[in-house]
Amino acid sequence: MTTATTRLAPSPTGALHLGNARTFLVNWALAKQRGWRVILRIEDIDHPRVKPDTIDTTRDELHWLGVHWDEEVALQSTQLKPCHDALNTLGHKGMIYPCDRTRAELAASAPNEGDQQVIARASDRPACAGDIVASPERDRTWRLCVPPGLVHVHDECTGNHHIDVAADCGDFAVWTRRNVPAYQLAVAVDDARQGVTDVVRGDDLLPSAARQQLVLECLGLPVPRWWHLPLLRGPDGRRLAKRHGDSRIARWCAGRSSERLIAFLARISGLPDAPDTMTASQFAEAFDVARLPKEDVIITEAHLAWLDEH
Ligand code: GLU
């Protein structure tokens, strides 16, 4: 039997913040409790936003938090061959088509002009969609022919979802004209290649689970178990970010232990009576996913101030 495996998959696009720390700590605790292998995969193919110097910082901050992994760190950008093969497979199956239209052009042709989300509809497909493509050129955008109908996603934290990918986002990109795989393809292929059985991440990525499931099914690859966790938000209800004050882990790292931060994360993760300090191992012993609040957590200035106290 293969070992159950999970992955920590940060994008090195900026500093780790409190929300990342909560997700990674819970992910790691679940892995410890259930005997999963842990992989650290740095998702560095989102080129324009990648800041290479944050790769080392991310690694250091995870160590500081007490979160560890079992294998050498995998840099997504150095292992693109399986993604090339996957693109070829989709081409051979007639499931992708090239699309050179810009977001603005797609938006202009859509009946929902003005909406934020740009949908590449089946009705917009070029005549060549569905043709077999022997070797897709790598410097073009390729979109997946998304079938109509609902995708059923079972999530261990949030239950069953029926997601209409065709209506929500339409034919999403699996390859970009920058000659790199798009996020949905890269994640699906890498999860399958690395034997990931359990994906734990923020629930802003739940819609992506449906898209990744479609990619995996098209490629005949296994679908992992999904665990989507509620998010941390600012007092205005928006996803926790710089505008809500400095919630970067770096604020608490320098010269301190992570025990107060972990205690704080424990208190907002179903352990309201956690002591003032806690190690990652103590968190993993006490954490109970069934008690994790289902709602997003609002982080206030008072929380940040509590964290600042020694
Ligand atoms: N790299 C993504 C991020 O940092 C997460 C991708 C995933 O968990 O599938 O937002």
Side-chain angles (χ1 to χ4, degrees):
M1 216 177 86
T2 51
T3 319
T5 300
T6 191
R7 67 345 183 243
L8 313 169
S11 298
T13 50
L16 283 190
H17 57 74
L18 217 48
N20 305 126
R22 207 272 279 252
T23 303
F24 291 138
L25 188 65
V26 167
N27 193 350
W28 181 79
L30 282 169
K32 291 298 112 191
Q33 292 176 350
R34 288 155 201 258
W36 301 341
R37 185 169 67 110
V38 181
I39 290 171
L40 174 62
R41 184 174 75 219
I42 305 283
E43 304 212 316
D44 61 339
I45 53 168
D46 192 1
H47 281 303
R49 292 168 50 227
V50 164
K51 302 191 183 101
D53 50 318
T54 60
I55 295 178
D56 282 344
T57 326
T58 299
R59 232 182 332 219
D60 294 347
E61 288 175 351
L62 285 171
H63 276 311
W64 176 79
L65 204 55
V67 165
H68 301 285
W69 46 93
D70 297 314
E71 290 180 10
E72 218 176 294
V73 181
L75 284 189
Q76 203 170 36
S77 63
T78 60
Q79 295 170 15
L80 292 181
K81 167 96 174 44
C83 288
H84 290 157
D85 294 345
L87 185 72
N88 289 344
T89 304
L90 295 174
H92 280 292
K93 291 187 171 184
M95 287 174 167
I96 50 172
Y97 63 87
C99 173
D100 298 322
R101 298 166 80 191
T102 61
R103 281 177 69 82
E105 283 164 352
L106 280 169
S109 73
N112 59 339
E113 195 180 341
D115 284 4
Q116 288 291 352
Q117 170 83 332
V118 176
I119 300 174
R121 294 170 193 285
S123 54
D124 288 338
R125 285 177 193 159
C128 66
D131 288 355
I132 290 171
V133 194
S135 41
E137 304 102 308
R138 305 273 168 66
D139 53 357
R140 304 183 80 176
T141 299
W142 291 87
R143 293 184 181 274
L144 187 76
C145 296
V146 171
L150 299 175
V151 178
H152 303 281
V153 173
H154 175 74
D155 188 87
E156 302 295 323
C157 296
T158 59
N160 290 314
H161 302 269
H162 305 287
I163 300 178
D164 191 341
V165 178
D168 292 348
C169 77
D171 293 342
F172 55 87
V174 289
W175 200 266
T176 78
R177 67 182 76 186
R178 287 181 286 108
N179 192 8
V180 285
Y183 162 70
Q184 305 295 0
L185 182 77
V187 165
V189 167
D190 281 352
D191 282 342
R193 177 177 67 79
Q194 295 183 299
V196 171
T197 54
D198 292 87
V199 169
V200 183
R201 58 190 180 185
D203 69 7
D204 52 331
L205 290 174
L206 184 61
S208 286
R211 296 169 208 176
Q212 287 155 21
Q213 224 170 271
L214 277 178
V215 171
L216 290 165
E217 280 160 10
C218 290
L219 292 169
L221 295 171
V223 173
R225 273 184 297 267
W226 308 111
W227 307 72
H228 286 92
L229 311 176
L231 296 183
L232 304 193
R233 296 190 179 275
D236 58 359
R238 292 165 75 190
R239 196 185 160 153
L240 194 65
K242 262 192 215 137
R243 62 181 162 265
H244 302 116
D246 185 6
S247 64
R248 289 173 305 166
I249 299 307
R251 170 167 171 173
W252 301 289
C253 274
R256 294 209 215 167
S257 97
S258 54
E259 294 184 10
R260 192 161 175 97
L261 181 71
I262 293 172
F264 173 74
L265 296 175
R267 289 180 183 189
I268 61 166
S269 302
L271 299 169
D273 303 324
D276 278 358
T277 58
M278 208 176 197
T279 63
S281 300
Q282 287 166 338
F283 176 85
E285 270 163 40
F287 176 73
D288 177 0
V289 71
R291 291 173 59 194
L292 184 72
K294 300 268 179 261
E295 311 76 40
D296 291 344
V297 178
I298 306 290
I299 300 295
T300 62
E301 274 298 334
H303 288 136
L304 301 180
W306 186 85
L307 278 165
D308 284 340
E309 287 167 25
H310 285 271

